[in-house]
Short mmCIF file of all heavy atoms in Angstrom, two decimals:
data_model
loop_
_atom_site.label_atom_id
_atom_site.label_comp_id
_atom_site.label_asym_id
_atom_site.label_seq_id
_atom_site.Cartn_x
_atom_site.Cartn_y
_atom_site.Cartn_z
N ASN A 22 0.84 -1.20 0.00
CA ASN A 22 0.00 0.00 0.00
C ASN A 22 0.88 1.25 0.00
O ASN A 22 2.12 1.16 -0.01
CB ASN A 22 -0.95 0.00 1.20
CG ASN A 22 -0.20 -0.26 2.50
OD1 ASN A 22 0.87 0.30 2.73
ND2 ASN A 22 -0.75 -1.13 3.35
N SER A 23 0.24 2.41 0.03
CA SER A 23 0.96 3.67 -0.08
C SER A 23 1.96 3.87 1.05
O SER A 23 3.03 4.47 0.85
CB SER A 23 -0.03 4.84 -0.10
OG SER A 23 -0.89 4.73 -1.22
N ALA A 24 1.65 3.38 2.23
CA ALA A 24 2.53 3.57 3.38
C ALA A 24 3.88 2.87 3.17
O ALA A 24 4.88 3.26 3.77
CB ALA A 24 1.86 3.03 4.64
N GLU A 25 3.90 1.86 2.28
CA GLU A 25 5.13 1.11 2.06
C GLU A 25 5.97 1.63 0.89
O GLU A 25 6.99 1.04 0.54
CB GLU A 25 4.80 -0.37 1.85
CG GLU A 25 4.18 -1.03 3.10
CD GLU A 25 3.95 -2.51 2.92
OE1 GLU A 25 4.17 -3.04 1.81
OE2 GLU A 25 3.53 -3.16 3.90
N LEU A 26 5.54 2.74 0.30
CA LEU A 26 6.31 3.31 -0.81
C LEU A 26 7.70 3.77 -0.37
O LEU A 26 8.60 3.93 -1.21
CB LEU A 26 5.55 4.49 -1.42
CG LEU A 26 4.37 4.13 -2.33
CD1 LEU A 26 3.57 5.37 -2.70
CD2 LEU A 26 4.87 3.43 -3.60
N LYS A 27 7.89 3.93 0.92
CA LYS A 27 9.20 4.32 1.44
C LYS A 27 10.25 3.25 1.15
O LYS A 27 11.46 3.53 1.20
CB LYS A 27 9.11 4.58 2.95
CG LYS A 27 8.61 3.39 3.75
CD LYS A 27 8.38 3.76 5.21
CE LYS A 27 7.82 2.57 6.00
NZ LYS A 27 7.52 2.93 7.40
N LYS A 28 9.82 2.03 0.81
CA LYS A 28 10.76 0.96 0.48
C LYS A 28 11.53 1.28 -0.80
O LYS A 28 12.59 0.68 -1.06
CB LYS A 28 10.02 -0.36 0.31
CG LYS A 28 9.44 -0.93 1.60
CD LYS A 28 8.75 -2.27 1.34
CE LYS A 28 8.16 -2.86 2.61
NZ LYS A 28 7.49 -4.16 2.35
N LEU A 29 11.02 2.18 -1.62
CA LEU A 29 11.69 2.52 -2.87
C LEU A 29 13.11 3.04 -2.63
O LEU A 29 14.02 2.80 -3.43
CB LEU A 29 10.88 3.55 -3.65
CG LEU A 29 9.61 3.05 -4.34
CD1 LEU A 29 8.84 4.20 -4.96
CD2 LEU A 29 9.96 2.01 -5.41
N LYS A 30 13.29 3.76 -1.54
CA LYS A 30 14.61 4.32 -1.23
C LYS A 30 15.65 3.21 -1.11
O LYS A 30 16.75 3.30 -1.68
CB LYS A 30 14.55 5.14 0.05
CG LYS A 30 15.85 5.84 0.39
CD LYS A 30 15.70 6.71 1.64
CE LYS A 30 17.00 7.43 1.96
NZ LYS A 30 16.87 8.30 3.17
N GLY A 31 15.30 2.15 -0.40
CA GLY A 31 16.22 1.03 -0.22
C GLY A 31 16.43 0.25 -1.50
O GLY A 31 17.53 -0.26 -1.77
N ILE A 32 15.37 0.14 -2.31
CA ILE A 32 15.47 -0.59 -3.58
C ILE A 32 16.50 0.07 -4.49
O ILE A 32 17.32 -0.61 -5.12
CB ILE A 32 14.09 -0.65 -4.27
CG1 ILE A 32 13.17 -1.60 -3.50
CG2 ILE A 32 14.21 -1.07 -5.73
CD1 ILE A 32 11.73 -1.57 -3.93
N PHE A 33 16.47 1.39 -4.57
CA PHE A 33 17.41 2.08 -5.46
C PHE A 33 18.79 2.25 -4.83
O PHE A 33 19.77 2.47 -5.55
CB PHE A 33 16.82 3.42 -5.89
CG PHE A 33 15.78 3.28 -6.96
CD1 PHE A 33 14.43 3.21 -6.64
CD2 PHE A 33 16.14 3.19 -8.28
CE1 PHE A 33 13.47 3.05 -7.63
CE2 PHE A 33 15.19 3.02 -9.29
CZ PHE A 33 13.86 2.96 -8.95
N LYS A 34 18.87 2.11 -3.52
CA LYS A 34 20.17 2.18 -2.85
C LYS A 34 20.92 0.86 -3.03
O LYS A 34 22.17 0.85 -3.09
CB LYS A 34 19.96 2.49 -1.36
CG LYS A 34 21.24 2.83 -0.61
CD LYS A 34 20.94 3.24 0.82
CE LYS A 34 22.21 3.61 1.57
NZ LYS A 34 21.91 4.01 2.98
N TYR A 35 20.19 -0.23 -3.15
CA TYR A 35 20.79 -1.55 -3.31
C TYR A 35 21.47 -1.64 -4.68
O TYR A 35 20.89 -1.29 -5.70
CB TYR A 35 19.72 -2.62 -3.18
CG TYR A 35 20.23 -4.04 -3.20
CD1 TYR A 35 20.92 -4.57 -2.13
CD2 TYR A 35 20.03 -4.84 -4.33
CE1 TYR A 35 21.39 -5.88 -2.15
CE2 TYR A 35 20.49 -6.15 -4.36
CZ TYR A 35 21.17 -6.65 -3.27
OH TYR A 35 21.63 -7.94 -3.29
N LYS A 36 22.70 -2.12 -4.74
CA LYS A 36 23.49 -2.07 -5.97
C LYS A 36 23.18 -3.20 -6.95
O LYS A 36 23.49 -3.10 -8.14
CB LYS A 36 24.98 -2.08 -5.62
CG LYS A 36 25.44 -0.81 -4.91
CD LYS A 36 26.93 -0.82 -4.65
CE LYS A 36 27.36 0.47 -3.97
NZ LYS A 36 28.83 0.49 -3.70
N GLY A 37 22.57 -4.26 -6.49
CA GLY A 37 22.30 -5.40 -7.37
C GLY A 37 20.88 -5.38 -7.91
O GLY A 37 20.12 -4.42 -7.73
N PRO A 38 20.47 -6.47 -8.57
CA PRO A 38 19.10 -6.57 -9.08
C PRO A 38 18.09 -6.72 -7.96
O PRO A 38 18.37 -7.37 -6.95
CB PRO A 38 19.14 -7.81 -9.97
CG PRO A 38 20.27 -8.63 -9.44
CD PRO A 38 21.27 -7.66 -8.92
N VAL A 39 16.94 -6.11 -8.12
CA VAL A 39 15.84 -6.21 -7.15
C VAL A 39 14.54 -6.45 -7.92
O VAL A 39 14.30 -5.82 -8.95
CB VAL A 39 15.69 -4.92 -6.31
CG1 VAL A 39 14.56 -5.08 -5.30
CG2 VAL A 39 16.99 -4.57 -5.60
N VAL A 40 13.72 -7.34 -7.42
CA VAL A 40 12.37 -7.52 -7.94
C VAL A 40 11.40 -7.03 -6.88
O VAL A 40 11.42 -7.52 -5.74
CB VAL A 40 12.07 -8.98 -8.31
CG1 VAL A 40 10.62 -9.13 -8.76
CG2 VAL A 40 13.02 -9.46 -9.40
N CYS A 41 10.56 -6.07 -7.24
CA CYS A 41 9.58 -5.51 -6.31
C CYS A 41 8.18 -5.76 -6.84
O CYS A 41 7.85 -5.35 -7.95
CB CYS A 41 9.82 -4.01 -6.11
SG CYS A 41 8.61 -3.22 -5.03
N GLU A 42 7.37 -6.43 -6.03
CA GLU A 42 5.99 -6.73 -6.43
C GLU A 42 5.06 -5.65 -5.89
O GLU A 42 5.04 -5.37 -4.69
CB GLU A 42 5.59 -8.11 -5.89
CG GLU A 42 4.29 -8.63 -6.46
CD GLU A 42 4.04 -10.08 -6.07
OE1 GLU A 42 4.77 -10.61 -5.19
OE2 GLU A 42 3.10 -10.67 -6.62
N LEU A 43 4.33 -5.03 -6.79
CA LEU A 43 3.38 -3.97 -6.43
C LEU A 43 1.98 -4.58 -6.37
O LEU A 43 1.48 -5.09 -7.37
CB LEU A 43 3.40 -2.84 -7.46
CG LEU A 43 4.76 -2.21 -7.76
CD1 LEU A 43 4.63 -1.22 -8.93
CD2 LEU A 43 5.31 -1.48 -6.54
N MET A 44 1.35 -4.53 -5.21
CA MET A 44 0.01 -5.11 -5.05
C MET A 44 -1.03 -4.05 -5.41
O MET A 44 -1.31 -3.14 -4.63
CB MET A 44 -0.16 -5.62 -3.63
CG MET A 44 0.97 -6.53 -3.16
SD MET A 44 1.36 -7.88 -4.33
CE MET A 44 -0.13 -8.87 -4.19
N ILE A 45 -1.57 -4.16 -6.61
CA ILE A 45 -2.45 -3.14 -7.18
C ILE A 45 -3.90 -3.63 -7.19
O ILE A 45 -4.16 -4.81 -7.42
CB ILE A 45 -2.00 -2.81 -8.62
CG1 ILE A 45 -0.56 -2.24 -8.60
CG2 ILE A 45 -2.93 -1.81 -9.29
CD1 ILE A 45 0.08 -2.15 -9.97
N ASN A 46 -4.80 -2.72 -6.93
CA ASN A 46 -6.24 -3.04 -6.95
C ASN A 46 -6.61 -3.66 -8.30
O ASN A 46 -6.36 -3.07 -9.35
CB ASN A 46 -7.05 -1.76 -6.72
CG ASN A 46 -8.51 -2.04 -6.44
OD1 ASN A 46 -9.06 -3.06 -6.87
ND2 ASN A 46 -9.15 -1.13 -5.74
N PRO A 47 -7.22 -4.86 -8.32
CA PRO A 47 -7.65 -5.48 -9.58
C PRO A 47 -8.62 -4.60 -10.36
O PRO A 47 -8.77 -4.75 -11.57
CB PRO A 47 -8.33 -6.77 -9.13
CG PRO A 47 -7.74 -7.07 -7.79
CD PRO A 47 -7.49 -5.73 -7.16
N ASN A 48 -9.27 -3.67 -9.64
CA ASN A 48 -10.21 -2.73 -10.28
C ASN A 48 -9.65 -1.31 -10.27
O ASN A 48 -10.40 -0.34 -10.12
CB ASN A 48 -11.56 -2.78 -9.58
CG ASN A 48 -12.19 -4.17 -9.63
OD1 ASN A 48 -12.29 -4.76 -10.70
ND2 ASN A 48 -12.58 -4.69 -8.48
N GLN A 49 -8.34 -1.17 -10.41
CA GLN A 49 -7.68 0.13 -10.41
C GLN A 49 -8.34 1.08 -11.41
O GLN A 49 -8.54 0.74 -12.58
CB GLN A 49 -6.20 -0.04 -10.77
CG GLN A 49 -5.45 1.23 -11.06
CD GLN A 49 -5.13 2.05 -9.82
OE1 GLN A 49 -4.60 1.54 -8.85
NE2 GLN A 49 -5.46 3.32 -9.87
N LEU A 50 -8.66 2.28 -10.96
CA LEU A 50 -9.21 3.30 -11.86
C LEU A 50 -8.09 3.83 -12.74
O LEU A 50 -6.96 3.99 -12.31
CB LEU A 50 -9.83 4.44 -11.05
CG LEU A 50 -11.04 4.08 -10.19
CD1 LEU A 50 -11.48 5.28 -9.34
CD2 LEU A 50 -12.20 3.60 -11.06
N MET A 51 -8.43 4.13 -13.99
CA MET A 51 -7.44 4.60 -14.96
C MET A 51 -7.88 5.92 -15.58
O MET A 51 -9.06 6.26 -15.59
CB MET A 51 -7.24 3.55 -16.06
CG MET A 51 -6.76 2.20 -15.57
SD MET A 51 -5.00 2.17 -15.25
CE MET A 51 -4.36 2.11 -16.92
N LEU A 52 -6.91 6.64 -16.11
CA LEU A 52 -7.20 7.87 -16.83
C LEU A 52 -8.15 7.57 -17.99
O LEU A 52 -7.97 6.58 -18.71
CB LEU A 52 -5.88 8.44 -17.38
CG LEU A 52 -5.84 9.90 -17.81
CD1 LEU A 52 -6.06 10.83 -16.63
CD2 LEU A 52 -4.49 10.20 -18.48
N SER A 53 -9.17 8.40 -18.16
CA SER A 53 -10.17 8.16 -19.21
C SER A 53 -9.54 8.18 -20.60
O SER A 53 -8.66 8.99 -20.88
CB SER A 53 -11.27 9.22 -19.15
OG SER A 53 -11.96 9.16 -17.93
N LYS A 54 -10.00 7.28 -21.46
CA LYS A 54 -9.48 7.25 -22.82
C LYS A 54 -10.06 8.39 -23.65
O LYS A 54 -11.23 8.75 -23.53
CB LYS A 54 -9.80 5.90 -23.49
CG LYS A 54 -8.88 4.78 -23.04
CD LYS A 54 -8.99 3.58 -23.94
CE LYS A 54 -7.97 2.51 -23.55
NZ LYS A 54 -8.01 1.35 -24.43
N TRP A 55 -9.21 8.93 -24.51
CA TRP A 55 -9.57 10.06 -25.38
C TRP A 55 -9.98 9.56 -26.75
O TRP A 55 -9.48 8.56 -27.25
CB TRP A 55 -8.36 10.98 -25.49
CG TRP A 55 -8.40 12.00 -26.59
CD1 TRP A 55 -8.98 13.23 -26.55
CD2 TRP A 55 -7.80 11.88 -27.88
NE1 TRP A 55 -8.78 13.89 -27.75
CE2 TRP A 55 -8.05 13.08 -28.58
CE3 TRP A 55 -7.07 10.88 -28.53
CZ2 TRP A 55 -7.60 13.30 -29.88
CZ3 TRP A 55 -6.63 11.09 -29.83
CH2 TRP A 55 -6.90 12.29 -30.49
N SER A 56 -10.94 10.27 -27.35
CA SER A 56 -11.28 10.06 -28.74
C SER A 56 -11.23 11.41 -29.42
O SER A 56 -11.53 12.45 -28.80
CB SER A 56 -12.69 9.45 -28.87
OG SER A 56 -12.97 9.12 -30.21
N ALA A 57 -10.84 11.46 -30.66
CA ALA A 57 -10.63 12.72 -31.37
C ALA A 57 -11.82 13.66 -31.21
O ALA A 57 -12.97 13.28 -31.45
CB ALA A 57 -10.36 12.45 -32.84
N GLY A 58 -11.54 14.89 -30.79
CA GLY A 58 -12.57 15.91 -30.63
C GLY A 58 -13.14 16.01 -29.23
O GLY A 58 -13.97 16.89 -28.97
#
């Protein structure tokens, strides 16, 4: 969740490869799609 975004600092500080799993709402709202006009 949002409270755990602070983990990003350690991920980028670590010098080797890191895999980070983001637990996202299956019904995540998205930016509305545009159509011409």
Side-chain angles (χ1 to χ4, degrees):
N22 51 44
S23 299
E25 295 184 355
L26 284 171
K27 58 187 178 183
K28 291 182 180 180
L29 286 174
K30 184 177 181 179
I32 288 170
F33 283 94
K34 190 175 181 180
Y35 185 73
K36 293 183 179 180
V39 181
V40 176
C41 178
E42 191 171 11
L43 306 173
M44 309 310 292
I45 299 168
N46 192 333
N48 300 309
Q49 169 74 51
L50 296 175
M51 300 280 285
L52 198 65
S53 297
K54 282 194 175 182
W55 166 85
S56 186

